[in-house]
Amino acid sequence: MFATSTHTEEPPAYSSLDAPQKYVEKGDHGKETPDDVLHFINPTQDSVSSLALRYSVPSVALRKRNNLYADHLLAGRRTLLIPGEYYQGPSLSPEPIDGEAEEMRKAKIRRWMVTCKVSDYDIALLYLDQAHYDVDSAVETYLSDEKWEREHPLTSSSKGKSAPNRSRRKFGTRTGVSGQL
């Protein structure tokens, strides 16, 4: 019934067991993973659950791909990536009203503002226009300008407002009760 083995057989060499084994996730069968699909979020209609149903993607995979630790974090997003290993079709969201190029421009402006910690939209446009919307170049220019301003602070001159000189008496100013009448 059972085959008996002889004790004279030697165990396999350890070197044959050293080869690392690749962990295979669902959808990964040695093929190149397809590109992710960009979905433009409609805040009034989209939720993680509804997107998971619409694209037939597990909600866990959506959260993992987009670094969403809770469903309510979707409210702060404008776009979401649909994992390509689960969905290979076209985006089921309507194109943004301004177009994809305008959305990319706005994203660069927001990225520059957050990176430089500047809340003035006009300043962001100024630096990005000068850098032809190259965010890294615009940030570098802004930081070098800030450094220059720290190294060359404004000095006060004799013109402009200054602290009043209290030692000099002003003529024509009456003090006492007679000056109040």
Side-chain angles (χ1 to χ4, degrees):
M1 179 176 197
F2 292 108
T4 59
S5 65
T6 62
H7 292 288
T8 59
E9 291 181 19
E10 292 188 22
Y14 285 112
S15 61
S16 67
L17 301 175
D18 287 341
Q21 296 184 5
K22 182 182 174 191
Y23 175 73
V24 178
E25 291 185 7
K26 180 180 178 185
D28 184 20
H29 299 289
K31 298 183 229 173
E32 188 175 312
T33 58
D35 291 335
D36 295 337
V37 176
L38 183 66
H39 177 86
F40 293 97
I41 295 174
N42 181 350
T44 59
Q45 295 178 351
D46 292 337
S47 67
V48 173
S49 303
S50 68
L51 292 171
L53 287 172
R54 192 180 312 163
Y55 287 99
S56 300
V57 175
S59 58
V60 174
L62 277 176
R63 284 190 211 101
K64 183 177 178 182
R65 178 63 183 96
N66 292 283
N67 295 325
L68 293 172
Y69 302 106
D71 291 351
H72 69 276
L73 295 175
L74 185 65
R77 302 270 181 122
R78 290 178 180 236
T79 60
L80 190 78
L81 291 174
I82 309 299
E85 58 261 14
Y86 294 99
Y87 181 79
Q88 287 88 26
S91 176
L92 300 177
S93 66
E95 288 291 317
I97 295 170
D98 297 331
E100 195 166 334
E102 181 64 17
E103 286 295 319
M104 294 297 290
R105 186 182 80 84
K106 289 178 182 178
K108 288 179 181 183
I109 292 170
R110 284 190 302 275
R111 182 173 161 217
W112 184 90
M113 291 173 76
V114 168
T115 303
C116 294
K117 299 178 183 171
V118 175
S119 61
D120 192 349
Y121 188 79
D122 293 330
I123 299 287
L125 286 179
L126 174 81
Y127 279 96
L128 285 167
D129 281 340
Q130 288 177 351
H132 304 290
Y133 284 87
D134 179 13
V135 177
D136 295 331
S137 175
V139 167
E140 184 178 325
T141 303
Y142 174 78
L143 293 176
S144 67
D145 286 352
E146 286 289 308
K147 180 181 176 188
W148 186 90
E149 286 183 14
R150 281 192 305 274
E151 292 172 353
H152 301 90
L154 289 176
T155 57
S156 63
S157 62
S158 60
K159 295 181 181 181
K161 294 184 179 181
S162 62
N165 188 355
R166 301 205 185 272
S167 65
R168 187 170 43 159
R169 181 171 183 223
K170 295 180 182 178
F171 295 103
T173 307
R174 297 183 187 183
T175 57
V177 178
S178 63
Q180 293 178 2
L181 296 175

